[in-house]
Amino acid sequence: MKYHITPSHTFMGTCHVAPDKSISHRCIMFGSLANGITKVSNFLEGEDALSTLQAFCDMGVKIERNDDKVVIHGVGMNGLKAPSKPLDMGNSGTSMRLLSGILSAQPFDSVMMGDVSLSKRPMERVAKPLRQMGAVIQTTGTKGTPPITITGGQSLQAIDYVMPMASAQVKSCLLLAGLWADGTTSIIEPEVSRDHTERMLRAFGYTVVVDKQPHGNKISITGGGQLTACDITVPADISSAAFFMVAATIANHGNITIKQVGINPTRTGVIDILKLMGADICLANETMMGGEPVADIMVKSSKLKGINIPAHLVPLAIDEFPVLFVAASCATGKTILRGAKELRVKESDRIAVMADGLKTLGIDCTVLDDGIEIIGKGDEHQHGKRVFTGGKIDSHHDHRIAMSFTVASLQASDAIIIHGTETVNTSFPNFAGLVNGAGLHVNVKNDVI
Ligand code: S3P
């Protein structure tokens, strides 16, 4: 698929963006392993979360789905069955990494594979500590990449693990393996990373101990317990809301309300960074939903200034940098991001791929080993000129690259054509329809090359 997008000026309205992807994955995993029936409302019907759902169906869990309503008949900690074929994780790193922890503790063998993007992503970051716990796990790709093969029937031992990077996926993988391990598994993170696993374990009645450290947390879990089913309503995904937040900020006429978005403090780096840049963002109707804080987010057009992005905000906005680079391009002055090497191993190398796309659209930027410098065109923007030219962009099978350059059309002088937009369905199935409803001109076409 490709998007053919003509320039627009307005981004307005009230909308519900896609449900949270991280939380949707975890509902399926914990619901499947729990005793009893878990009912999920507002489940993300995106391909990534559906890959997780299918994997648990393949392991004998009865899961009924009616649009965004999902009913999971939990099989308990020892009830998963051997899948009859390799588990296909599609584009989803979260599915593959979290399931590595679960599958390492099962009595049966398993294989996981993925699409062209997932097949390039590093899996030794989970395989190595799992081996320390006694797992027999191989990354059979050329560079510690998928497919992953796991030999079941091992008894896992708890470990103390100092994570080399702030990764919620690695942390969650090891906490999940720790559910079956003998003893107390402790993970120390170098910086705080998203804590949905810790929150959901507690919602399912499992004890998790969190000790605050100078930077990240130490999270401990003792194996051998049980999970008890519960009902969960998934909030809207702040990572999906980020496209709407930047769109309303950079539009000449922007005024948007995004309803009931998850504002877990381990995910709100995008709000903090945009506010530091001068964005006009307010929260209203704050409440709790299934152990997670939510709020309506209101955003209006504003003039942005370039900033040095504070290091502690990097893991808290890790998925939002592609669209933040679009915001930085519209700011006055230079924006500098450092300490963000993790961006190089996401669904694409998001530093290189965004830099290529920004240059195509006329933005001066410099790629750094662990970040980027972007010279914003805010001054020209304030004199009524458009920030971006038109041009052709390759999304490199990365949904967030495709959606970020879609937002750039609000400040483009000519059409932007984005190739490889089918992966938008992994996290935000109705993206094009919703942004068009708010004022964009996105035409979705078949991409015949
Ligand atoms: C996720 C964690 C993050 C994030 C990903 C989802 C999760 O990855 O980028 O989109 O649900 O745990 P890392 O843990 O690799 O930073």
Side-chain angles (χ1 to χ4, degrees):
M1 307 286 282
K2 71 177 169 190
Y3 289 170
H4 184 282
I5 315 160
T6 49
S8 53
H9 300 81
T10 302
F11 200 75
M12 300 234 182
T14 297
C15 53
H16 289 89
V17 300
D20 191 281
K21 184 153 78 73
S22 294
I23 297 175
S24 294
H25 282 297
R26 287 160 171 82
C27 288
I28 299 293
M29 295 179 192
F30 289 118
S32 295
L33 297 170
N35 297 319
I37 294 178
T38 292
K39 292 184 184 152
V40 185
S41 312
N42 202 36
F43 176 75
L44 172 64
E45 298 174 86
E47 286 164 10
D48 277 12
L50 292 173
S51 295
T52 294
L53 189 151
Q54 187 57 48
F56 281 90
C57 291
D58 292 349
M59 291 189 284
V61 183
K62 184 176 165 200
I63 305 179
E64 298 159 286
R65 183 164 74 91
N66 199 342
D67 302 329
D68 69 326
K69 304 263 181 293
V70 177
V71 178
I72 309 161
H73 298 256
V75 295
M77 293 301 291
N78 299 311
L80 295 179
K81 301 267 185 311
S84 61
K85 54 183 190 319
L87 299 168
D88 185 356
M89 300 302 158
N91 194 255
S92 177
T94 308
S95 308
M96 190 172 278
R97 295 204 178 110
L98 270 59
L99 268 159
S100 295
I102 296 173
L103 293 173
S104 291
Q106 300 308 311
F108 50 80
D109 298 346
S110 50
V111 177
M112 286 185 286
M113 47 179 254
D115 73 0
V116 54
S117 151
L118 184 53
S119 298
K120 290 184 197 151
R121 298 186 65 188
M123 292 298 150
E124 277 300 313
R125 54 178 56 200
V126 289
K128 211 168 137 207
L130 285 171
R131 278 185 212 113
Q132 287 176 27
M133 296 178 83
V136 177
I137 174 166
Q138 273 129 28
T139 53
T140 64
T142 41
K143 290 187 197 149
T145 45
I148 289 182
T149 59
I150 295 173
T151 306
Q154 319 299 325
S155 53
L156 301 187
Q157 303 299 316
I159 50 166
D160 285 350
Y161 189 66
V162 180
M163 281 199 301
M165 74 293 280
S167 166
Q169 292 180 351
V170 176
K171 170 177 68 176
S172 303
C173 165
L174 300 178
L175 290 174
L176 284 162
L179 293 173
W180 285 272
D182 189 14
T184 299
T185 296
S186 294
I187 322 290
I188 296 172
E189 48 186 10
E191 296 279 352
V192 172
S193 66
R194 67 187 68 189
D195 67 354
H196 303 301
T197 298
E198 295 90 309
R199 285 175 188 253
M200 206 178 284
L201 277 164
R202 289 191 177 127
F204 279 79
Y206 212 100
T207 303
V208 186
V209 178
V210 178
D211 291 323
K212 296 238 173 298
Q213 307 276 304
H215 293 284
N217 290 323
K218 177 179 179 187
I219 306 109
S220 303
I221 197 169
T222 303
Q226 299 288 318
L227 298 164
T228 307
C230 66
D231 293 347
I232 296 173
T233 301
V234 181
D237 198 325
I238 191 164
S239 299
S240 297
F243 302 106
F244 285 62
M245 290 161 63
V246 172
T249 299
I250 67 169
N252 288 354
H253 309 286
N255 189 351
I256 196 105
T257 299
I258 318 162
K259 299 295 288 182
Q260 296 296 278
V261 182
I263 51 157
N264 179 320
T266 62
R267 297 283 299 280
T268 46
V270 61
I271 297 180
D272 298 336
I273 292 169
L274 284 172
K275 279 190 171 170
L276 285 174
M277 296 176 78
D280 179 350
I281 303 177
C282 303
L283 303 186
N285 298 326
E286 290 189 42
T287 166
M288 291 296 285
M289 206 185 253
E292 295 275 352
V294 299
D296 296 346
I297 302 181
M298 279 104 70
V299 189
K300 291 185 185 152
S301 311
S302 49
K303 290 175 186 159
L304 297 178
K305 60 176 190 299
I307 58 164
N308 263 327
I309 296 176
H312 73 278
L313 292 178
V314 172
L316 311 185
I318 195 68
D319 289 340
E320 288 66 73
F321 284 109
V323 80
L324 283 169
F325 296 169
V326 170
S329 305
C330 301
T332 308
K334 196 194 278 186
T335 294
I336 305 175
L337 171 67
R338 308 279 339 216
K341 225 176 193 159
E342 280 293 299
L343 290 181
R344 294 203 176 265
V345 291
K346 294 294 176 189
E347 285 84 328
S348 68
D349 176 342
R350 287 183 173 159
I351 294 175
V353 171
M354 281 304 298
D356 285 350
L358 290 176
K359 284 176 188 162
T360 301
L361 301 185
I363 301 299
D364 180 4
C365 57
T366 308
V367 168
L368 309 170
D369 176 40
D370 62 346
I372 194 166
E373 281 184 15
I374 298 173
I375 311 293
K377 282 192 169 175
D379 286 336
E380 292 169 50
H381 176 28
Q382 279 162 33
H383 289 97
K385 284 195 191 151
R386 304 236 104 194
V387 170
F388 303 101
T389 63
K392 285 187 187 165
I393 304 288
D394 182 351
S395 77
H396 288 257
H397 308 282
D398 187 334
H399 52 139
R400 300 203 197 280
I401 301 287
M403 290 186 274
S404 299
F405 283 113
T406 304
V407 167
S409 69
L410 279 156
Q411 277 304 331
S413 57
D414 218 332
I416 296 177
I417 295 148
I418 308 174
H419 293 281
T421 55
E422 55 285 340
T423 52
V424 170
N425 282 333
T426 61
S427 67
F428 202 159
N430 190 26
F431 173 73
L434 273 183
V435 290
N436 282 347
L440 260 60
H441 306 314
V442 182
N443 217 318
V444 183
K445 297 183 173 182
N446 277 327
D447 199 354
V448 188
I449 300 171

